[in-house]
Amino acid sequence: MIFIQPKDTDAAYHFAAEEFCMSSMGQTQDIFMLWQTDRCAMLGSNQIAQDEIDFDLAKQHNVQIVRRSSGGGTIYTDKGTLLCTRITPFSSGDDAKEIGRTQLAEPIIMALQKMGIHAEIKGRNDMLLEGKKISGLAQRLGKNCLCSHCSLLFDTDLSVLESILTVDESKLKNKGIASVRSRVTNIHNHFSEKYDTQTFKALFKEALSEILPFELYSFSQEELASIEKIREEKFANPLWTYRTNHNFTHHSEKRLPLGKVEVYYEVKDSTISSCSIRGDFLSIKPIDELEKHLADTAFDKEALMTRLNEIDLLPYLGGIGAEEFLSILFS
């Protein structure tokens, strides 16, 4: 395994470097990255930016807004947060969720335990400490490789997190929780000895190296130029970050056990001519592939069920089945 620890704290660079590694060496090489960013709100690939983030407050707090290529919900990171990425070769028959758990989440949990922090993996993608969230796992699938990544709340400014993120009230009500802040905790608060973030980062890296032996790797100047090109064209591009839906004629939404799903669609002559699927569900493949698959299908439950059953929905909807998905359109 190679270990990459970039010094750049720009989140758009972070995701560009992941994409570069997936396309250039992730098919044959096991890669682990350890990151930090400046203040940043990271949108899930399928979310609507204005529904998730208070733009005015984000600007006041000097918070960068980026969109990642993995599914799930919006997270906040800053210099008190560590971000971990693992990129591994992937075959079509593999279980992406299990790989994310065994190859990223479990080594992180084991490293924390070596440091006296007894966290655990819970639910679809969370790592908890004393019942509160310290991390959430998201994934994306590339050509013959899988990228799993997460953030670790060590000494993150939770007041900024709470102020800029606009959380769906149904999500909080479903979990019986009053606020964002009540759901999360900083690892910093659970150490008997107080460390700053850089000391924790060094100790975490040392503990992780005992579980995942690795060789240090630095990007060449040529590789850095390729990463910068991806950053400029995609992750630092407002068209990617703030993309909006077209003016569709219909809109339906529902919070399901595995995430909120919104469907924007246009119906012409009793047929879905186009659609846009948004939400915080944990997709690992681009949702536009499913959107294109549903286009030109009769707006009829039986016809849509037949169409959905033609493909494996798991990579697109993260475990949400055809019947559940259709319950959004035909309640």
Side-chain angles (χ1 to χ4, degrees):
M1 176 189 292
I2 61 174
F3 184 93
I4 304 173
Q5 189 173 315
K7 294 180 180 179
D8 201 308
T9 55
D10 171 59
Y13 169 88
H14 170 158
F15 294 122
E18 283 185 349
E19 189 152 302
F20 170 78
C21 288
M22 291 179 73
S23 63
S24 66
M25 49 185 165
Q27 299 90 347
T28 58
Q29 181 68 63
D30 195 355
I31 304 164
F32 194 100
M33 299 187 194
L34 186 61
W35 309 84
Q36 284 179 279
T37 70
D38 298 315
R39 290 182 170 187
C40 178
M42 299 178 179
L43 289 157
S45 61
N46 304 312
Q47 292 188 294
I48 301 170
Q50 59 267 33
D51 289 350
E52 305 298 328
I53 300 168
D54 187 317
F55 290 160
D56 291 336
L57 285 176
K59 186 175 182 180
Q60 288 178 30
H61 289 289
N62 196 30
V63 175
Q64 180 187 16
I65 300 173
V66 298
R67 183 184 297 277
R68 61 184 189 269
S69 293
S70 59
T74 304
I75 64 169
Y76 170 77
T77 64
D78 59 23
K79 291 287 183 63
T81 315
L82 294 188
L83 295 105
C84 302
T85 300
R86 190 162 182 186
I87 298 170
T88 55
F90 183 85
S91 299
S92 58
D94 293 340
D95 184 335
K97 182 177 179 182
E98 186 61 26
I99 289 174
R101 177 183 288 264
T102 59
Q103 299 201 16
L104 182 64
E106 287 182 2
I108 288 173
I109 293 293
M110 292 169 66
L112 291 174
Q113 288 174 346
K114 282 180 174 290
M115 302 167 69
I117 299 297
H118 297 286
E120 59 182 340
I121 305 169
K122 284 284 188 180
R124 59 175 182 155
N125 67 326
D126 292 343
M127 297 182 219
L128 304 184
L129 180 55
E130 296 183 8
K132 292 189 176 184
K133 186 172 178 177
I134 57 169
S135 182
L137 183 71
Q139 296 177 294
R140 61 171 298 209
L141 194 60
K143 185 178 180 180
N144 300 322
C145 67
L146 178 72
C147 174
S148 304
H149 51 197
C150 67
S151 60
L152 282 176
L153 302 177
F154 176 69
D155 193 17
T156 306
D157 190 338
L158 300 182
S159 64
V160 177
L161 177 153
E162 187 173 25
S163 67
I164 69 165
L165 297 190
T166 307
V167 178
D168 181 356
E169 288 185 8
S170 67
K171 185 174 184 178
L172 297 177
K173 288 176 182 176
N174 285 348
K175 296 191 176 185
I177 297 170
S179 69
V180 180
R181 197 161 180 175
S182 70
R183 300 170 56 204
V184 299
T185 187
N186 273 313
I187 297 170
H188 175 269
N189 298 328
H190 300 266
F191 273 110
S192 55
E193 184 175 350
K194 298 304 178 185
Y195 299 116
D196 61 25
T197 305
Q198 293 309 311
T199 302
F200 170 73
K201 184 178 180 180
L203 292 171
F204 176 73
K205 179 181 174 182
E206 181 181 352
L208 194 64
S209 69
E210 296 175 11
I211 300 160
L212 300 173
F214 51 70
E215 297 179 3
L216 296 178
Y217 183 89
S218 297
F219 292 122
S220 67
Q221 289 302 310
E222 184 179 357
E223 289 171 330
L224 288 171
S226 297
I227 291 169
E228 179 58 25
K229 186 173 186 293
I230 297 170
R231 190 194 76 85
E232 289 182 0
E233 292 180 354
K234 184 173 182 178
F235 295 103
N237 186 340
L239 294 177
W240 163 259
T241 304
Y242 299 102
R243 67 178 189 265
T244 57
N245 290 307
H246 300 293
N247 294 320
F248 292 100
T249 56
H250 297 75
H251 170 241
S252 301
E253 65 178 77
K254 191 172 185 179
R255 176 157 293 284
L256 301 169
L258 292 179
K260 180 180 179 180
V261 182
E262 295 187 69
V263 185
Y264 297 82
Y265 54 104
E266 187 166 2
V267 178
K268 292 182 179 179
D269 299 325
S270 301
T271 299
I272 294 179
S273 58
S274 61
C275 68
S276 176
I277 303 168
R278 295 290 173 257
D280 60 2
F281 47 91
L282 289 170
S283 59
I284 63 172
K285 293 183 72 174
I287 197 66
D288 63 347
E289 295 178 6
L290 176 59
E291 293 167 352
K292 291 173 184 175
H293 184 74
L294 291 176
D296 300 322
T297 304
F299 187 63
D300 170 82
K301 187 173 183 179
E302 186 175 338
L304 284 166
M305 178 64 80
T306 299
R307 198 79 172 122
L308 290 170
N309 285 336
E310 292 174 353
I311 61 173
D312 180 8
L313 292 178
L314 182 63
Y316 301 106
L317 296 175
I320 295 170
E323 193 69 45
E324 279 188 301
F325 180 77
L326 290 180
S327 74
I328 303 165
L329 302 176
F330 303 95
S331 55

PDB file of all heavy atoms in Angstrom, residues 181-206:
ATOM      1  N   ARG A 181     -25.939  19.422  16.219  1.00  0.00           N
ATOM      2  CA  ARG A 181     -24.863  19.355  17.203  1.00  0.00           C
ATOM      3  C   ARG A 181     -25.068  18.229  18.205  1.00  0.00           C
ATOM      4  O   ARG A 181     -24.115  17.650  18.727  1.00  0.00           O
ATOM      5  CB  ARG A 181     -24.740  20.702  17.924  1.00  0.00           C
ATOM      6  CG  ARG A 181     -23.423  20.880  18.646  1.00  0.00           C
ATOM      7  CD  ARG A 181     -23.179  22.342  18.931  1.00  0.00           C
ATOM      8  NE  ARG A 181     -21.920  22.544  19.615  1.00  0.00           N
ATOM      9  CZ  ARG A 181     -21.426  23.748  19.886  1.00  0.00           C
ATOM     10  NH1 ARG A 181     -22.076  24.829  19.509  1.00  0.00           N
ATOM     11  NH2 ARG A 181     -20.285  23.863  20.525  1.00  0.00           N
ATOM     12  N   SER A 182     -26.310  17.897  18.493  1.00  0.00           N
ATOM     13  CA  SER A 182     -26.577  16.825  19.460  1.00  0.00           C
ATOM     14  C   SER A 182     -26.227  15.460  18.899  1.00  0.00           C
ATOM     15  O   SER A 182     -26.132  14.491  19.639  1.00  0.00           O
ATOM     16  CB  SER A 182     -28.051  16.864  19.870  1.00  0.00           C
ATOM     17  OG  SER A 182     -28.879  16.454  18.802  1.00  0.00           O
ATOM     18  N   ARG A 183     -26.019  15.379  17.581  1.00  0.00           N
ATOM     19  CA  ARG A 183     -25.755  14.087  16.940  1.00  0.00           C
ATOM     20  C   ARG A 183     -24.279  13.771  16.834  1.00  0.00           C
ATOM     21  O   ARG A 183     -23.916  12.636  16.521  1.00  0.00           O
ATOM     22  CB  ARG A 183     -26.361  14.082  15.530  1.00  0.00           C
ATOM     23  CG  ARG A 183     -27.847  14.286  15.475  1.00  0.00           C
ATOM     24  CD  ARG A 183     -28.303  14.502  14.045  1.00  0.00           C
ATOM     25  NE  ARG A 183     -27.912  13.413  13.192  1.00  0.00           N
ATOM     26  CZ  ARG A 183     -27.755  13.500  11.885  1.00  0.00           C
ATOM     27  NH1 ARG A 183     -27.923  14.656  11.273  1.00  0.00           N
ATOM     28  NH2 ARG A 183     -27.422  12.449  11.169  1.00  0.00           N
ATOM     29  N   VAL A 184     -23.409  14.777  16.978  1.00  0.00           N
ATOM     30  CA  VAL A 184     -21.984  14.590  16.705  1.00  0.00           C
ATOM     31  C   VAL A 184     -21.140  14.940  17.920  1.00  0.00           C
ATOM     32  O   VAL A 184     -21.590  15.611  18.853  1.00  0.00           O
ATOM     33  CB  VAL A 184     -21.535  15.446  15.502  1.00  0.00           C
ATOM     34  CG1 VAL A 184     -22.282  15.045  14.244  1.00  0.00           C
ATOM     35  CG2 VAL A 184     -21.726  16.934  15.785  1.00  0.00           C
ATOM     36  N   THR A 185     -19.892  14.455  17.904  1.00  0.00           N
ATOM     37  CA  THR A 185     -18.955  14.789  18.975  1.00  0.00           C
ATOM     38  C   THR A 185     -17.550  14.843  18.404  1.00  0.00           C
ATOM     39  O   THR A 185     -17.266  14.221  17.376  1.00  0.00           O
ATOM     40  CB  THR A 185     -19.019  13.753  20.122  1.00  0.00           C
ATOM     41  OG1 THR A 185     -18.213  14.206  21.215  1.00  0.00           O
ATOM     42  CG2 THR A 185     -18.516  12.382  19.677  1.00  0.00           C
ATOM     43  N   ASN A 186     -16.681  15.591  19.052  1.00  0.00           N
ATOM     44  CA  ASN A 186     -15.276  15.648  18.688  1.00  0.00           C
ATOM     45  C   ASN A 186     -14.480  14.609  19.464  1.00  0.00           C
ATOM     46  O   ASN A 186     -14.656  14.466  20.689  1.00  0.00           O
ATOM     47  CB  ASN A 186     -14.701  17.040  18.979  1.00  0.00           C
ATOM     48  CG  ASN A 186     -14.897  18.006  17.822  1.00  0.00           C
ATOM     49  OD1 ASN A 186     -14.624  17.665  16.668  1.00  0.00           O
ATOM     50  ND2 ASN A 186     -15.348  19.216  18.131  1.00  0.00           N
ATOM     51  N   ILE A 187     -13.604  13.892  18.780  1.00  0.00           N
ATOM     52  CA  ILE A 187     -12.735  12.907  19.432  1.00  0.00           C
ATOM     53  C   ILE A 187     -11.896  13.582  20.516  1.00  0.00           C
ATOM     54  O   ILE A 187     -11.617  12.994  21.569  1.00  0.00           O
ATOM     55  CB  ILE A 187     -11.829  12.235  18.380  1.00  0.00           C
ATOM     56  CG1 ILE A 187     -12.685  11.460  17.377  1.00  0.00           C
ATOM     57  CG2 ILE A 187     -10.827  11.296  19.040  1.00  0.00           C
ATOM     58  CD1 ILE A 187     -11.909  10.959  16.166  1.00  0.00           C
ATOM     59  N   HIS A 188     -11.525  14.815  20.278  1.00  0.00           N
ATOM     60  CA  HIS A 188     -10.713  15.611  21.214  1.00  0.00           C
ATOM     61  C   HIS A 188     -11.279  15.570  22.634  1.00  0.00           C
ATOM     62  O   HIS A 188     -10.531  15.528  23.635  1.00  0.00           O
ATOM     63  CB  HIS A 188     -10.656  17.049  20.689  1.00  0.00           C
ATOM     64  CG  HIS A 188      -9.972  18.026  21.586  1.00  0.00           C
ATOM     65  ND1 HIS A 188     -10.643  18.753  22.547  1.00  0.00           N
ATOM     66  CD2 HIS A 188      -8.677  18.391  21.668  1.00  0.00           C
ATOM     67  CE1 HIS A 188      -9.786  19.537  23.177  1.00  0.00           C
ATOM     68  NE2 HIS A 188      -8.590  19.343  22.659  1.00  0.00           N
ATOM     69  N   ASN A 189     -12.600  15.572  22.735  1.00  0.00           N
ATOM     70  CA  ASN A 189     -13.248  15.628  24.052  1.00  0.00           C
ATOM     71  C   ASN A 189     -13.171  14.316  24.820  1.00  0.00           C
ATOM     72  O   ASN A 189     -13.518  14.270  26.005  1.00  0.00           O
ATOM     73  CB  ASN A 189     -14.725  16.016  23.892  1.00  0.00           C
ATOM     74  CG  ASN A 189     -14.893  17.389  23.279  1.00  0.00           C
ATOM     75  OD1 ASN A 189     -14.069  18.274  23.482  1.00  0.00           O
ATOM     76  ND2 ASN A 189     -15.959  17.569  22.509  1.00  0.00           N
ATOM     77  N   HIS A 190     -12.717  13.237  24.170  1.00  0.00           N
ATOM     78  CA  HIS A 190     -12.733  11.921  24.793  1.00  0.00           C
ATOM     79  C   HIS A 190     -11.343  11.407  25.155  1.00  0.00           C
ATOM     80  O   HIS A 190     -11.203  10.271  25.592  1.00  0.00           O
ATOM     81  CB  HIS A 190     -13.442  10.932  23.862  1.00  0.00           C
ATOM     82  CG  HIS A 190     -14.866  11.324  23.572  1.00  0.00           C
ATOM     83  ND1 HIS A 190     -15.936  10.853  24.300  1.00  0.00           N
ATOM     84  CD2 HIS A 190     -15.384  12.181  22.650  1.00  0.00           C
ATOM     85  CE1 HIS A 190     -17.053  11.382  23.832  1.00  0.00           C
ATOM     86  NE2 HIS A 190     -16.748  12.183  22.821  1.00  0.00           N
ATOM     87  N   PHE A 191     -10.331  12.239  24.968  1.00  0.00           N
ATOM     88  CA  PHE A 191      -8.978  11.897  25.403  1.00  0.00           C
ATOM     89  C   PHE A 191      -8.768  12.407  26.826  1.00  0.00           C
ATOM     90  O   PHE A 191      -9.140  13.536  27.151  1.00  0.00           O
ATOM     91  CB  PHE A 191      -7.928  12.547  24.491  1.00  0.00           C
ATOM     92  CG  PHE A 191      -7.570  11.734  23.281  1.00  0.00           C
ATOM     93  CD1 PHE A 191      -7.943  12.147  22.022  1.00  0.00           C
ATOM     94  CD2 PHE A 191      -6.836  10.559  23.407  1.00  0.00           C
ATOM     95  CE1 PHE A 191      -7.608  11.409  20.900  1.00  0.00           C
ATOM     96  CE2 PHE A 191      -6.496   9.813  22.287  1.00  0.00           C
ATOM     97  CZ  PHE A 191      -6.882  10.238  21.036  1.00  0.00           C
ATOM     98  N   SER A 192      -8.145  11.594  27.662  1.00  0.00           N
ATOM     99  CA  SER A 192      -7.799  12.070  28.999  1.00  0.00           C
ATOM    100  C   SER A 192      -6.664  13.088  28.912  1.00  0.00           C
ATOM    101  O   SER A 192      -6.607  14.047  29.682  1.00  0.00           O
ATOM    102  CB  SER A 192      -7.376  10.892  29.895  1.00  0.00           C
ATOM    103  OG  SER A 192      -6.329  10.160  29.289  1.00  0.00           O
ATOM    104  N   GLU A 193      -5.762  12.873  27.940  1.00  0.00           N
ATOM    105  CA  GLU A 193      -4.674  13.825  27.691  1.00  0.00           C
ATOM    106  C   GLU A 193      -5.041  14.644  26.465  1.00  0.00           C
ATOM    107  O   GLU A 193      -5.444  14.102  25.448  1.00  0.00           O
ATOM    108  CB  GLU A 193      -3.361  13.081  27.454  1.00  0.00           C
ATOM    109  CG  GLU A 193      -2.162  13.982  27.293  1.00  0.00           C
ATOM    110  CD  GLU A 193      -0.874  13.190  27.173  1.00  0.00           C
ATOM    111  OE1 GLU A 193      -0.907  11.969  27.411  1.00  0.00           O
ATOM    112  OE2 GLU A 193       0.154  13.800  26.848  1.00  0.00           O
ATOM    113  N   LYS A 194      -4.923  15.961  26.566  1.00  0.00           N
ATOM    114  CA  LYS A 194      -5.364  16.823  25.478  1.00  0.00           C
ATOM    115  C   LYS A 194      -4.270  17.000  24.424  1.00  0.00           C
ATOM    116  O   LYS A 194      -3.148  17.381  24.739  1.00  0.00           O
ATOM    117  CB  LYS A 194      -5.795  18.189  26.023  1.00  0.00           C
ATOM    118  CG  LYS A 194      -6.974  18.120  26.988  1.00  0.00           C
ATOM    119  CD  LYS A 194      -8.191  17.432  26.356  1.00  0.00           C
ATOM    120  CE  LYS A 194      -9.358  17.309  27.315  1.00  0.00           C
ATOM    121  NZ  LYS A 194     -10.476  16.549  26.730  1.00  0.00           N
ATOM    122  N   TYR A 195      -4.621  16.697  23.177  1.00  0.00           N
ATOM    123  CA  TYR A 195      -3.712  16.841  22.048  1.00  0.00           C
ATOM    124  C   TYR A 195      -4.232  17.916  21.101  1.00  0.00           C
ATOM    125  O   TYR A 195      -5.446  18.099  20.975  1.00  0.00           O
ATOM    126  CB  TYR A 195      -3.614  15.533  21.254  1.00  0.00           C
ATOM    127  CG  TYR A 195      -3.093  14.348  22.019  1.00  0.00           C
ATOM    128  CD1 TYR A 195      -3.920  13.243  22.242  1.00  0.00           C
ATOM    129  CD2 TYR A 195      -1.788  14.305  22.495  1.00  0.00           C
ATOM    130  CE1 TYR A 195      -3.450  12.126  22.919  1.00  0.00           C
ATOM    131  CE2 TYR A 195      -1.316  13.195  23.175  1.00  0.00           C
ATOM    132  CZ  TYR A 195      -2.146  12.112  23.388  1.00  0.00           C
ATOM    133  OH  TYR A 195      -1.678  11.016  24.060  1.00  0.00           O
ATOM    134  N   ASP A 196      -3.309  18.588  20.414  1.00  0.00           N
ATOM    135  CA  ASP A 196      -3.752  19.429  19.315  1.00  0.00           C
ATOM    136  C   ASP A 196      -3.928  18.536  18.086  1.00  0.00           C
ATOM    137  O   ASP A 196      -3.558  17.354  18.090  1.00  0.00           O
ATOM    138  CB  ASP A 196      -2.787  20.583  19.054  1.00  0.00           C
ATOM    139  CG  ASP A 196      -1.378  20.134  18.671  1.00  0.00           C
ATOM    140  OD1 ASP A 196      -1.210  19.014  18.143  1.00  0.00           O
ATOM    141  OD2 ASP A 196      -0.433  20.911  18.902  1.00  0.00           O
ATOM    142  N   THR A 197      -4.492  19.094  17.015  1.00  0.00           N
ATOM    143  CA  THR A 197      -4.836  18.279  15.851  1.00  0.00           C
ATOM    144  C   THR A 197      -3.606  17.658  15.192  1.00  0.00           C
ATOM    145  O   THR A 197      -3.632  16.496  14.778  1.00  0.00           O
ATOM    146  CB  THR A 197      -5.612  19.114  14.818  1.00  0.00           C
ATOM    147  OG1 THR A 197      -6.750  19.705  15.454  1.00  0.00           O
ATOM    148  CG2 THR A 197      -6.093  18.253  13.659  1.00  0.00           C
ATOM    149  N   GLN A 198      -2.519  18.410  15.110  1.00  0.00           N
ATOM    150  CA  GLN A 198      -1.324  17.889  14.442  1.00  0.00           C
ATOM    151  C   GLN A 198      -0.694  16.735  15.229  1.00  0.00           C
ATOM    152  O   GLN A 198      -0.199  15.770  14.640  1.00  0.00           O
ATOM    153  CB  GLN A 198      -0.311  19.017  14.225  1.00  0.00           C
ATOM    154  CG  GLN A 198      -0.780  20.079  13.238  1.00  0.00           C
ATOM    155  CD  GLN A 198      -1.262  19.502  11.920  1.00  0.00           C
ATOM    156  OE1 GLN A 198      -0.587  18.682  11.298  1.00  0.00           O
ATOM    157  NE2 GLN A 198      -2.449  19.911  11.480  1.00  0.00           N
ATOM    158  N   THR A 199      -0.730  16.820  16.549  1.00  0.00           N
ATOM    159  CA  THR A 199      -0.219  15.722  17.372  1.00  0.00           C
ATOM    160  C   THR A 199      -1.094  14.487  17.198  1.00  0.00           C
ATOM    161  O   THR A 199      -0.598  13.363  17.036  1.00  0.00           O
ATOM    162  CB  THR A 199      -0.173  16.130  18.856  1.00  0.00           C
ATOM    163  OG1 THR A 199       0.654  17.288  18.992  1.00  0.00           O
ATOM    164  CG2 THR A 199       0.381  15.003  19.719  1.00  0.00           C
ATOM    165  N   PHE A 200      -2.414  14.696  17.227  1.00  0.00           N
ATOM    166  CA  PHE A 200      -3.333  13.579  17.005  1.00  0.00           C
ATOM    167  C   PHE A 200      -3.100  12.951  15.635  1.00  0.00           C
ATOM    168  O   PHE A 200      -3.085  11.724  15.495  1.00  0.00           O
ATOM    169  CB  PHE A 200      -4.783  14.061  17.118  1.00  0.00           C
ATOM    170  CG  PHE A 200      -5.789  13.038  16.673  1.00  0.00           C
ATOM    171  CD1 PHE A 200      -6.072  11.924  17.446  1.00  0.00           C
ATOM    172  CD2 PHE A 200      -6.453  13.185  15.454  1.00  0.00           C
ATOM    173  CE1 PHE A 200      -6.993  10.971  17.032  1.00  0.00           C
ATOM    174  CE2 PHE A 200      -7.380  12.241  15.028  1.00  0.00           C
ATOM    175  CZ  PHE A 200      -7.650  11.136  15.821  1.00  0.00           C
ATOM    176  N   LYS A 201      -2.903  13.787  14.631  1.00  0.00           N
ATOM    177  CA  LYS A 201      -2.679  13.298  13.269  1.00  0.00           C
ATOM    178  C   LYS A 201      -1.445  12.400  13.209  1.00  0.00           C
ATOM    179  O   LYS A 201      -1.468  11.323  12.598  1.00  0.00           O
ATOM    180  CB  LYS A 201      -2.514  14.491  12.320  1.00  0.00           C
ATOM    181  CG  LYS A 201      -2.374  14.141  10.857  1.00  0.00           C
ATOM    182  CD  LYS A 201      -2.270  15.437  10.047  1.00  0.00           C
ATOM    183  CE  LYS A 201      -2.133  15.180   8.569  1.00  0.00           C
ATOM    184  NZ  LYS A 201      -2.029  16.451   7.799  1.00  0.00           N
ATOM    185  N   ALA A 202      -0.360  12.819  13.875  1.00  0.00           N
ATOM    186  CA  ALA A 202       0.880  12.034  13.884  1.00  0.00           C
ATOM    187  C   ALA A 202       0.678  10.714  14.625  1.00  0.00           C
ATOM    188  O   ALA A 202       1.142   9.654  14.175  1.00  0.00           O
ATOM    189  CB  ALA A 202       2.000  12.844  14.526  1.00  0.00           C
ATOM    190  N   LEU A 203      -0.035  10.751  15.750  1.00  0.00           N
ATOM    191  CA  LEU A 203      -0.287   9.531  16.524  1.00  0.00           C
ATOM    192  C   LEU A 203      -1.212   8.583  15.774  1.00  0.00           C
ATOM    193  O   LEU A 203      -1.026   7.362  15.794  1.00  0.00           O
ATOM    194  CB  LEU A 203      -0.891   9.898  17.884  1.00  0.00           C
ATOM    195  CG  LEU A 203       0.034  10.642  18.861  1.00  0.00           C
ATOM    196  CD1 LEU A 203      -0.762  11.136  20.067  1.00  0.00           C
ATOM    197  CD2 LEU A 203       1.173   9.740  19.306  1.00  0.00           C
ATOM    198  N   PHE A 204      -2.210   9.142  15.121  1.00  0.00           N
ATOM    199  CA  PHE A 204      -3.146   8.338  14.331  1.00  0.00           C
ATOM    200  C   PHE A 204      -2.415   7.655  13.174  1.00  0.00           C
ATOM    201  O   PHE A 204      -2.611   6.462  12.914  1.00  0.00           O
ATOM    202  CB  PHE A 204      -4.271   9.227  13.807  1.00  0.00           C
ATOM    203  CG  PHE A 204      -5.236   8.523  12.900  1.00  0.00           C
ATOM    204  CD1 PHE A 204      -6.164   7.616  13.391  1.00  0.00           C
ATOM    205  CD2 PHE A 204      -5.221   8.772  11.528  1.00  0.00           C
ATOM    206  CE1 PHE A 204      -7.060   6.969  12.550  1.00  0.00           C
ATOM    207  CE2 PHE A 204      -6.113   8.137  10.682  1.00  0.00           C
ATOM    208  CZ  PHE A 204      -7.028   7.229  11.191  1.00  0.00           C
ATOM    209  N   LYS A 205      -1.575   8.399  12.492  1.00  0.00           N
ATOM    210  CA  LYS A 205      -0.798   7.836  11.380  1.00  0.00           C
ATOM    211  C   LYS A 205       0.101   6.699  11.864  1.00  0.00           C
ATOM    212  O   LYS A 205       0.208   5.649  11.214  1.00  0.00           O
ATOM    213  CB  LYS A 205       0.040   8.937  10.731  1.00  0.00           C
ATOM    214  CG  LYS A 205       0.915   8.480   9.586  1.00  0.00           C
ATOM    215  CD  LYS A 205       1.720   9.650   9.027  1.00  0.00           C
ATOM    216  CE  LYS A 205       2.722   9.201   7.985  1.00  0.00           C
ATOM    217  NZ  LYS A 205       3.539  10.348   7.487  1.00  0.00           N
ATOM    218  N   GLU A 206       0.729   6.885  13.021  1.00  0.00           N
ATOM    219  CA  GLU A 206       1.599   5.843  13.585  1.00  0.00           C
ATOM    220  C   GLU A 206       0.793   4.592  13.930  1.00  0.00           C
ATOM    221  O   GLU A 206       1.206   3.465  13.621  1.00  0.00           O
ATOM    222  CB  GLU A 206       2.299   6.376  14.835  1.00  0.00           C
ATOM    223  CG  GLU A 206       3.241   5.383  15.484  1.00  0.00           C
ATOM    224  CD  GLU A 206       3.912   5.944  16.735  1.00  0.00           C
ATOM    225  OE1 GLU A 206       3.758   7.140  17.019  1.00  0.00           O
ATOM    226  OE2 GLU A 206       4.579   5.161  17.439  1.00  0.00           O
TER     227      GLU A 206
END
